[in-house]
Amino acid sequence: MNIHTSTPDSSDTPRRIPFAQLRDLLLPSFRRHRLQVLGGLTALILVDFLQLIIPRVIKRGVDALESLTVTPSDLLRLAGIIIFIAVFVVLLRFIWRYMIIGFSRLLEQAVRNRIFSHILKMDAPFFEKRTAGDLMAHSSNDLAAVQMACGMGLVAAVDALVMSLAAIGFMIAIHPLLTLLALLPMPFLAVATRVLSAKLHRRFATVQEEFSELTEFSRSNLISIGLIKAYTMENFQTERFDRIGKKYVRSNLRVAVIQGLVTPLATLVGSAGMLVVLYFGGRLVIETTITLGDFVAFITYLYMLIWPMMAIGWVANLVQRGLTSLDRIHGLVTTEAMLPDPVPEKELEKLVQPGYRLTHLTFTYPLGSGPVLRDLSLNLGPGIHGVTGRTGSGKSTLCRLLARLYPLADGMLLFGGLEVNRLPLAFIRSHIGYVGQEPVLFSDTIAANIALGRPDARREEIVEAAVNAAIHEDILAQKDGYDTLIGERGVKLSGGQRQRLALARALLCDHPVLIIDDGLSAVDVATEHEVFAGLKRHFQGKTVVIVSNRIKLLSMTDHIIILGEGAVQSEGDHDHLLATNSLYRTMFEKQMQQDSQGEVALP
Amino acid sequence: MMDYGYSEEGRQASLGDLQLWRRILRFAEPYKLGLLGAVVISLLITWATLTLPYLVQTAIDHSITASRLATAERVAGLAGNAFWYGAIIIGVFFATFCQIYILEWVGQWVMHGVRQSLFNHLLHLDLPFFNTRRTGQLVTRLTNDIQNMNEMFTSVIVTLFNEMLRLLGILVLLFWMNPRLAALMSIFVPTALLFTIFFAKLARERFRAIRSQLAKLNSFLSETLSGIAILQLFGRQETSRRTFEGLSAGYLDRTLSQIRLFGLFMPLTEFLGSAAVALILWYGGGEVLQKRLTLGELVAFISYMRLFFQPLRELAQKYSVVQSAMASAERIFQLLDTKSSIPQALVPATITNLEGRLEFRKLRFGYDPNNPVLHDISLTLRPGQTVALVGTTGSGKTTLVSLLLRFYDPQEGQILIDGRDIATLGLQELRTLVGVILQDVFILQDSLLANIVMDTGCGRQQVEEILTRTGMNRFVQKLPQGLDTLIGEGGTELSTGEKQLLSFARVLCRNPAILVLDEATAAIDSESENILEQAIADSFRGRTSLVIAHRLSTVRRADHIIVMAHGRIVEQGSHEELLERGGHYALLVAMDLQNGH
């Protein structure tokens, strides 16, 4: 039996039972499927009792055979009873498996869906703290641990309890003193297991640490493979990996020593009980205190006890791991978003031509060390606003704040004249079209990706948006046109194509505000101009914020903001900047000159 | 354990099971003595477990029920049996311990071997390979997949072997005790076996269905997590939630169908067991009545039947472990079979008396061949010359360096060192001839000295000499324990400038003929900046050097400046010439000055 090879993780030291977590996450499922659980448990207990009857039948047969008071037809009848009981056992076992393990899967599904819908509500600061890997681990490992505890864990616990109580009961009925003697080695097993598992736990923690080290070493090497090769470190690093690997092997062997003791020890203790029964029970038969049938049945019951004894350790481990995981999941689903999402008192009316007003806006990322935007005061009303500046000047951060991805203090940002912290997120976002720096596409058809914000859009509308984003031709060039699958298992698009697709997505929504965070950087200049010029009339009356480092595009906007170190360095329209800002002027002249050779952008 | 690596499909079944086993066993070969030992112990344990019921049987027959003997004699006989019983269980205890330990020992070292060859193999694969693979997946191969295989070694092989042996042993014993009853019992063997195989087949299909659905679920989750902001901005939460719940429900259906299958199989094997006991009681009881079987033998038969069905259940249960281990093994071996796409010269040429002439000849290259990022680049560096490459991000400077290091091969054109095509040189040789100082540096969690020396065999004194010569000892002196300061995670964090200095020291230790420097773009503290300038000046002397320059001071030091834009060389000449021309270069300089460098 493979019980102690399961891997306890570092946090499963004995702990108190987290009632709040249990109530919150598990109780709804238990309540909802209570009939199923009760039915399953009833079937389980019935099976246990039926199984205990079979040795009684055998005992009767053996006793009858010994006293030679039996006929072949009696034997046939006894055999028939065994078969009859066995059929029932099959049926009931199927029932409990389907009901209880099935229940654990239902519960798993409920918790999984709960985690997912909670994640969907979380804001950007949350995803900065929790990595994707961490969240994935919650929905795979932790969930599996909870499912195991509520499925097999529950079964094993009830089964072990019923079986051991019943078996001990029957044994006492046969001979109390012999029962006591047979069970004498059991406490020893309990103590030894406890001592050993504490040791095992510590050694296992070391193994886990070293496993992480091994993982981290592999990861860091593979992720910087270019550096490894550039410095010809391949063989050197393989040697270092060898050292870590050997250390890991040795720690594993230290665990193996304990594991190698635990399993045979359980067998030894079980067999010791058997030894006691053989000697003392045998004597009792010789002294005719008990019958031979009693003796055989006694042995059978003792066999039945071995499994519950071993199961106890396993169950305890499962439950502990389940509780630890439950705690982690609970921590996840009770994390509140930092971004306020108020419920409006009355239905809000859609804003007409909304704009932004920034008043002394200063912003620091939740995990950042210093402010990224400093004391920004801007009025971004209807019209096209170009934003430019060096890397790290805060352009993208500005876009993210306008899109309401990060929380801000009251009074810093007004949207359509209203304080953003008083507005529901869905309301604000229903006014915004957004094209990010790194276009995010999903594994779906091209059409579905464009229609992300409006799943009900007609094909003509999708095509129109694609035409406006100058991606239509590229789409038609794909094998299945608009129905081509993209993403992990589909075709790969170039950076420029992805960006234009993301633009088409935003255009299809036709919201009064459009934010383009350097979303055309990978599109070649000619196409960019074509798209932009074509869209200018489309943008009539809308608030457009476009981040770009290309002067020519900026020159076509109504209002240009040059950011530097998180603050506004210069602002004004093209002519104004041309007249007042020397850098802007130089860049503009050069770019006009170099039209044919491509252009220079701000590094 | 971080096991979200199973967001993958099941097996692709391109390597046959037999072939997989052969390859696994090849890794196990050095440990055949250990394995042999485990087999011997297995035999002993099997013999012992089968002897125990026999001891109970003889105790019943010869002592307990031997009513014609004197009570004292019966008790003495019983004590004898009990003594042997006790001795055997203690023996089994030690034997089992040894077996578990030996197998773990073999398994762990075999896996260590596999891990080492896989790691070494991976590090020698080419960069295009890494561009198409996700790092996480490769790490999973190295860690979780190998762990999975180990599971097979330590638990499955033992179980398979032990249980098979036990089955055989029980059959032999039964025949020895009573051939007729045993023959009757053996009809259960093919029944149970067929039943198990049939079940295992069905279970495999369900198991696969579950895994592929889980993969879908996980990749949807992962995609959602990476695009969460966009989903929220476009108000797609509800749709995503519905899709996820659909996938989740599909997963539930599949697991439930597996539960139904197991729910049927598990009780049915139990039923076979009970049926066998019923048969023994009826038929064997008849035999006892006809004095062809003793009562003790009947009891022993019943006990053995219990033992008999246990292996079958174990085997069926281990099946899923075997499946997942085989899938892991397959993925590992497939990776080991992947060849590098950068062709290596069979007989690598070596260059002696290197002059250091470097020539790029009509290079054309694109990561995607249809979309070139370098067009017709031709450039010659005379021995000892310093050439600066300038241009905006994306102009192709870094790509040029990648080609020089043969991370990729150009689609057209050649790179020559002293007139020899670099493709004819060994990769290691090439990368030793060309020393690179990149913006980023791979830091070992070790002392600064170990980080500088690595595997060059440089002595401490030599390192100190180099550092003093280049003025970099000032940087070392700033650190708390000098050269012995631990750096990297858990140690002292280095700044961008310090990292670049480390990179410098590392390369100088190797004394390459050609030096490539990718200057840090990020701001560097002025102290490091000063040290760096001296180091650059010192190390460029007498070496052919190619610098991707971001600092005016560095550019001015160069003999020749190449301006790149959109994968082409658009201007070249000296600093003064280029400034005068008032083209790309002049603008780049103007912008740099504007931003205060």
Side-chain angles (χ1 to χ4, degrees):
Chain A
M1 204 156 296
N2 191 15
I3 282 168
H4 292 277
T5 51
S6 49
T7 55
D9 52 47
S10 49
S11 43
D12 61 1
T13 40
R15 55 206 310 286
R16 39 183 199 85
I17 298 168
F19 285 109
Q21 282 83 324
L22 286 173
R23 190 187 60 227
D24 219 23
L25 284 169
L26 302 187
L27 200 62
S29 286
F30 270 99
R31 197 171 278 158
R32 195 163 148 216
H33 304 288
R34 58 182 178 277
L35 284 179
Q36 181 171 349
V37 177
L38 277 178
L41 288 178
T42 313
L44 179 65
I45 293 169
L46 279 176
V47 167
D48 286 345
F49 276 103
L50 287 177
Q51 270 185 299
L52 290 165
I53 291 176
I54 292 182
R56 310 283 305 172
V57 178
I58 298 174
K59 169 189 135 68
R60 271 186 42 202
V62 173
D63 279 349
L65 279 171
E66 197 194 13
S67 56
L68 298 172
T69 56
V70 74
T71 61
S73 70
D74 287 343
L75 286 174
L76 191 62
R77 200 165 44 83
L78 287 178
I81 291 173
I82 292 180
I83 298 276
F84 183 71
I85 294 173
V87 169
F88 261 98
V89 168
V90 169
L91 207 70
L92 289 169
R93 268 175 190 263
F94 178 80
I95 290 174
W96 75 244
R97 248 180 199 278
Y98 190 67
M99 288 198 156
I100 300 182
I101 311 289
F103 162 73
S104 74
R105 292 293 180 181
L106 284 168
L107 180 129
E108 178 193 10
Q109 193 206 18
V111 178
R112 172 181 284 125
N113 289 346
R114 170 124 179 235
I115 293 176
F116 188 77
S117 62
H118 186 78
I119 285 175
L120 282 177
K121 279 187 241 138
M122 287 296 105
D123 54 2
F126 173 85
F127 292 103
E128 269 173 33
K129 268 175 260 159
R130 303 264 194 164
T131 61
D134 180 34
L135 294 171
M136 297 281 291
H138 277 305
S139 68
S140 56
N141 290 4
D142 284 335
L143 209 49
V146 171
Q147 183 263 325
M148 276 296 277
C150 292
M152 276 325 272
L154 183 63
V155 169
V158 172
D159 194 37
L161 193 72
V162 174
M163 281 296 262
S164 49
L165 284 182
I168 291 173
F170 279 115
M171 282 161 74
I172 289 175
I174 295 172
H175 199 274
L177 188 65
L178 188 57
T179 310
L180 194 68
L181 283 174
L183 295 183
L184 218 51
M186 297 296 177
F188 173 69
L189 176 66
V191 172
T193 314
R194 219 178 158 73
V195 172
L196 285 178
S197 12
K199 240 195 183 103
L200 186 68
H201 180 75
R202 278 195 298 276
R203 295 192 176 182
F204 215 97
T206 317
V207 166
Q208 295 283 80
E209 267 165 43
E210 272 159 20
F211 186 78
S212 301
E213 197 184 333
L214 209 63
T215 310
E216 182 48 33
F217 189 86
S218 320
R219 199 194 59 79
S220 65
N221 273 274
L222 294 178
I223 222 155
S224 318
I225 187 74
L227 292 171
I228 302 280
K229 286 177 175 295
Y231 294 113
T232 57
M233 288 165 78
E234 292 98 333
N235 296 332
F236 183 60
Q237 287 302 81
T238 304
E239 262 167 54
R240 290 177 80 93
F241 191 64
D242 184 55
R243 251 174 284 155
I244 300 175
K246 280 188 174 139
K247 203 166 69 176
Y248 177 64
V249 167
R250 277 190 283 269
S251 300
N252 264 302
L253 291 179
R254 277 166 56 80
V255 168
V257 172
I258 309 278
Q259 279 186 341
L261 279 175
V262 170
T263 317
L265 193 69
T267 318
L268 179 68
V269 170
S271 306
M274 210 61 84
L275 175 65
V276 169
V277 173
L278 176 66
Y279 183 67
F280 291 103
R283 285 185 65 158
L284 288 176
V285 178
I286 294 172
E287 291 156 10
T288 63
T289 314
I290 59 174
T291 65
L292 183 64
D294 283 336
F295 176 75
V296 173
F298 212 93
I299 288 179
T300 320
Y301 289 130
L302 202 57
Y303 266 124
M304 285 183 174
L305 262 182
I306 292 178
W307 141 246
M309 286 299 147
M310 292 176 88
I312 286 168
W314 186 61
V315 169
N317 190 7
L318 269 189
V319 169
Q320 223 152 72
R321 258 130 82 54
L323 287 179
T324 312
S325 292
L326 195 68
D327 208 15
R328 277 202 286 261
I329 293 175
H330 191 257
L332 173 70
V333 299
T334 49
T335 310
E336 297 284 341
M338 289 166 77
L339 199 58
D341 192 5
V343 181
E345 281 155 26
K346 56 179 169 49
E347 190 84 6
L348 287 161
E349 269 179 51
K350 198 109 172 142
L351 301 170
V352 187
Q353 300 199 347
Y356 293 96
R357 180 182 287 280
L358 286 67
T359 325
H360 302 296
L361 187 151
T362 296
F363 175 75
T364 308
Y365 279 103
L367 299 177
S369 50
V372 187
L373 292 177
R374 295 163 213 266
D375 200 26
L376 230 53
S377 292
L378 285 170
N379 193 4
L380 303 173
I384 302 174
H385 308 272
V387 180
T388 190
R390 295 197 118 212
T391 319
S393 57
K395 299 168 304 209
S396 293
T397 307
L398 178 64
C399 290
R400 287 182 205 133
L401 291 179
L402 296 182
R404 284 302 280 151
L405 290 174
Y406 285 90
L408 275 174
D410 280 358
M412 284 186 172
L413 184 63
L414 299 182
F415 180 68
L418 303 165
E419 165 60 46
V420 285
N421 285 339
R422 306 270 174 284
L423 297 174
L425 293 176
F427 174 76
I428 300 181
R429 287 172 182 163
S430 68
H431 291 83
I432 301 174
Y434 186 87
V435 184
Q437 213 164 12
E438 287 290 322
V440 179
L441 301 182
F442 298 92
S443 309
D444 207 333
T445 62
I446 290 181
N449 264 288
I450 295 178
L452 189 78
R454 280 184 54 202
D456 56 335
R458 282 175 291 118
R459 184 51 68 91
E460 304 89 81
E461 294 174 296
I462 294 175
V463 172
E464 195 197 326
V467 169
N468 285 334
I471 184 71
H472 179 63
E473 301 291 325
D474 296 56
I475 295 174
L476 291 186
Q478 301 293 335
K479 192 163 61 63
D480 298 318
Y482 279 86
D483 297 313
T484 308
L485 283 173
I486 49 177
E488 240 175 80
R489 296 185 202 288
V491 296
K492 289 216 163 31
L493 299 176
S494 76
Q497 287 173 328
R498 294 164 66 88
Q499 287 192 334
R500 279 175 284 155
L501 210 58
L503 178 67
R505 178 190 282 168
L507 292 179
L508 180 66
C509 290
D510 199 27
H511 289 156
V513 176
L514 183 65
I515 298 167
I516 303 177
D517 180 9
D518 208 6
L520 295 168
S521 56
V523 178
D524 65 89
V525 186
T527 316
E528 185 186 33
H529 288 176
E530 181 197 322
V531 172
F532 191 75
L535 290 177
K536 249 194 117 171
R537 43 187 171 77
H538 196 80
F539 292 161
Q540 221 49 249
K542 297 187 177 186
T543 303
V544 180
V545 176
I546 179 163
V547 169
S548 176
N549 279 335
R550 287 174 177 163
I551 302 282
K552 196 149 173 195
L553 187 128
L554 293 173
S555 73
M556 293 194 275
T557 60
D558 305 325
H559 174 215
I560 301 163
I561 300 150
I562 301 180
L563 287 181
E565 316 258 305
V568 178
Q569 273 195 346
S570 274
E571 123 176 68
D573 63 9
H574 176 67
D575 295 330
H576 173 76
L577 288 176
L578 216 51
T580 58
N581 192 304
S582 64
L583 171 69
Y584 190 82
R585 190 169 52 241
T586 336
M587 283 167 65
F588 177 71
E589 281 162 5
K590 288 300 160 205
Q591 287 191 11
M592 290 295 109
Q593 224 177 60
Q594 290 157 2
D595 238 0
S596 54
Q597 305 161 8
E599 71 186 66
V600 174
L602 278 168
Chain B
M1 203 165 291
M2 293 198 323
D3 187 44
Y4 37 89
Y6 56 72
S7 57
E8 289 168 59
E9 293 293 333
R11 315 183 40 185
Q12 292 107 45
S14 60
L15 287 172
D17 279 4
L18 214 69
Q19 209 185 341
L20 280 178
W21 277 108
R22 248 205 307 270
R23 296 187 69 167
I24 295 171
L25 288 179
R26 212 174 300 152
F27 275 104
E29 206 177 342
Y31 307 100
K32 50 178 180 280
L33 259 176
L35 281 174
L36 193 72
V39 167
V40 172
I41 294 177
S42 235
L43 286 168
L44 282 174
I45 294 174
T46 307
W47 170 81
T49 12
L50 294 181
T51 309
L52 293 179
Y54 176 75
L55 281 174
V56 176
Q57 179 231 319
T58 48
I60 293 176
D61 284 348
H62 303 307
S63 313
I64 298 175
T65 59
S67 40
R68 55 199 160 70
L69 296 174
T71 306
E73 219 175 316
R74 285 163 74 187
V75 172
L78 182 64
N81 276 27
F83 171 76
W84 284 115
Y85 196 98
I88 287 175
I89 60 175
I90 289 170
V92 167
F93 172 75
F94 286 111
T96 315
F97 171 76
C98 290
Q99 192 193 30
I100 291 176
Y101 189 79
I102 290 175
L103 280 163
E104 186 73 28
W105 185 81
V106 172
Q108 285 293 341
W109 284 113
V110 170
M111 290 313 127
H112 179 71
V114 176
R115 195 160 43 225
Q116 276 307 114
S117 33
L118 188 61
F119 186 75
N120 194 35
H121 179 76
L122 278 176
L123 286 194
H124 284 93
L125 280 174
D126 53 299
L127 277 188
F129 169 85
F130 287 95
N131 291 344
T132 55
R133 298 299 181 103
R134 283 196 303 252
T135 312
Q137 242 177 38
L138 297 176
V139 174
T140 306
R141 296 287 166 284
L142 274 168
T143 53
N144 295 43
D145 275 335
I146 287 180
Q147 195 79 7
N148 259 350
M149 265 174 81
N150 185 43
E151 186 75 5
M152 177 151 75
F153 253 91
T154 45
S155 83
V156 176
I157 295 185
V158 192
T159 320
L160 271 175
F161 191 76
N162 279 1
E163 304 299 335
M164 287 291 191
L165 209 62
R166 196 191 298 185
L167 260 171
L168 213 70
I170 292 174
L171 270 180
V172 169
L173 251 172
L174 291 182
F175 269 97
W176 180 65
M177 282 199 304
N178 187 308
R180 280 192 305 141
L181 188 54
L184 189 65
M185 286 298 104
S186 30
I187 58 164
F188 281 98
V189 178
T191 320
L193 224 55
L194 277 177
F195 189 55
T196 307
I197 291 171
F198 176 67
F199 161 78
K201 273 227 169 76
L202 282 179
R204 162 151 62 177
E205 279 161 30
R206 312 259 160 122
F207 188 65
R208 271 193 186 155
I210 287 177
R211 276 184 77 101
S212 80
Q213 185 71 12
L214 189 63
K216 272 189 212 151
L217 196 72
N218 278 345
S219 68
F220 182 79
L221 179 60
S222 147
E223 199 175 80
T224 305
L225 287 173
S226 57
I228 186 89
I230 286 294
L231 289 171
Q232 289 175 342
L233 286 171
F234 283 85
R236 286 284 287 211
Q237 293 97 317
E238 202 43 42
T239 329
S240 292
R241 202 175 55 77
R242 274 202 303 274
T243 311
F244 185 81
E245 286 181 359
L247 288 169
S248 179
Y251 180 68
L252 177 70
D253 283 346
R254 287 173 172 160
T255 49
L256 287 181
S257 118
Q258 193 206 30
I259 291 169
R260 276 194 294 272
L261 183 71
F262 272 83
L264 214 60
F265 172 75
M266 292 297 170
L268 277 179
T269 44
E270 293 279 332
F271 177 77
L272 280 181
S274 298
V277 169
L279 196 64
I280 293 170
L281 195 64
W282 168 65
Y283 184 81
E287 297 277 287
V288 172
L289 288 179
Q290 288 165 33
K291 306 277 181 224
R292 282 196 292 231
L293 189 75
T294 67
L295 203 52
E297 280 171 341
L298 184 77
V299 172
F301 250 90
I302 292 178
S303 318
Y304 282 129
M305 259 357 247
R306 206 184 300 283
L307 284 178
F308 186 80
F309 283 95
Q310 206 183 328
L312 285 175
R313 223 168 346 143
E314 291 269 314
L315 288 178
Q317 266 172 336
K318 290 285 185 227
Y319 191 78
S320 63
V321 183
V322 175
Q323 278 298 305
S324 111
M326 290 305 259
S328 292
E330 186 175 34
R331 290 198 285 257
I332 289 167
F333 287 124
Q334 269 170 354
L335 202 53
L336 274 174
D337 291 341
T338 311
K339 295 270 182 302
S340 178
S341 71
I342 298 283
Q344 294 236 41
L346 282 178
V347 190
T350 45
I351 300 184
T352 43
N353 286 330
L354 192 76
E355 274 186 74
R357 175 183 301 278
L358 178 61
E359 187 183 354
F360 296 87
R361 196 181 280 169
K362 294 198 164 156
L363 285 184
R364 183 177 166 280
F365 173 76
Y367 295 94
D368 164 13
N370 301 320
N371 190 8
V373 291
L374 289 181
H375 311 264
D376 197 32
I377 299 279
S378 290
L379 173 65
T380 307
L381 279 77
R382 290 190 311 277
Q385 197 185 21
T386 300
V387 168
L389 278 178
V390 293
T392 54
T393 344
S395 57
K397 297 165 299 183
T398 313
T399 308
L400 200 61
V401 172
S402 298
L403 292 183
L404 173 58
L405 291 170
R406 272 197 92 204
F407 286 166
Y408 305 93
D409 275 341
Q411 272 99 32
E412 277 168 35
Q414 288 176 302
I415 300 175
L416 306 139
I417 293 179
D418 279 8
R420 269 177 224 260
D421 190 333
I422 57 167
T424 63
L425 299 171
L427 277 179
Q428 297 270 328
E429 159 119 11
L430 169 71
R431 290 171 190 162
T432 321
L433 287 176
V434 181
V436 282
I437 297 150
L438 301 176
Q439 290 200 34
D440 215 348
V441 59
F442 191 86
I443 292 178
L444 312 168
Q445 277 185 52
D446 210 327
S447 69
L448 180 63
L449 183 65
N451 266 286
I452 294 174
V453 171
M454 297 211 296
D455 54 349
T456 50
C458 256
R460 189 187 183 99
Q461 218 176 347
Q462 230 173 321
V463 174
E464 278 170 350
E465 228 170 83
I466 294 173
L467 291 175
T468 317
R469 200 180 62 223
T470 52
M472 283 193 280
N473 54 344
R474 279 180 287 158
F475 137 68
V476 177
Q477 280 154 7
K478 267 194 346 195
L479 296 171
Q481 278 103 37
L483 274 176
D484 300 313
T485 310
L486 286 179
I487 57 173
E489 216 170 295
T492 309
E493 281 293 327
L494 297 184
S495 71
T496 316
E498 289 170 331
K499 279 184 187 164
Q500 189 130 62
L501 284 169
L502 165 62
S503 199
F504 248 102
R506 209 179 251 186
V507 166
L508 291 181
C509 235
R510 301 174 168 223
N511 195 20
I514 296 171
L515 199 62
V516 175
L517 166 65
D518 185 359
E519 210 171 19
T521 37
I524 289 182
D525 52 297
S526 53
E527 197 171 357
S528 302
E529 180 98 51
N530 291 337
I531 305 177
L532 253 175
E533 269 195 40
Q534 195 196 330
I536 292 175
D538 195 83
S539 44
F540 282 5
R541 207 169 298 135
R543 281 201 182 87
T544 314
S545 315
L546 186 64
V547 195
I548 299 178
H550 299 293
R551 286 181 165 62
L552 196 56
S553 58
T554 317
V555 182
R556 297 191 68 154
R557 185 167 285 115
D559 305 318
H560 193 72
I561 297 163
I562 307 280
V563 185
M564 288 184 73
H566 299 279
R568 290 175 209 278
I569 296 178
V570 290
E571 280 177 354
Q572 48 184 312
S574 72
H575 177 69
E576 285 75 19
E577 284 166 24
L578 289 174
L579 265 192
E580 216 161 288
R581 194 180 300 172
H584 284 84
Y585 182 74
L587 177 63
L588 281 168
V589 171
M591 281 178 348
D592 211 26
L593 290 174
Q594 162 86 20
N595 285 287
H597 284 291

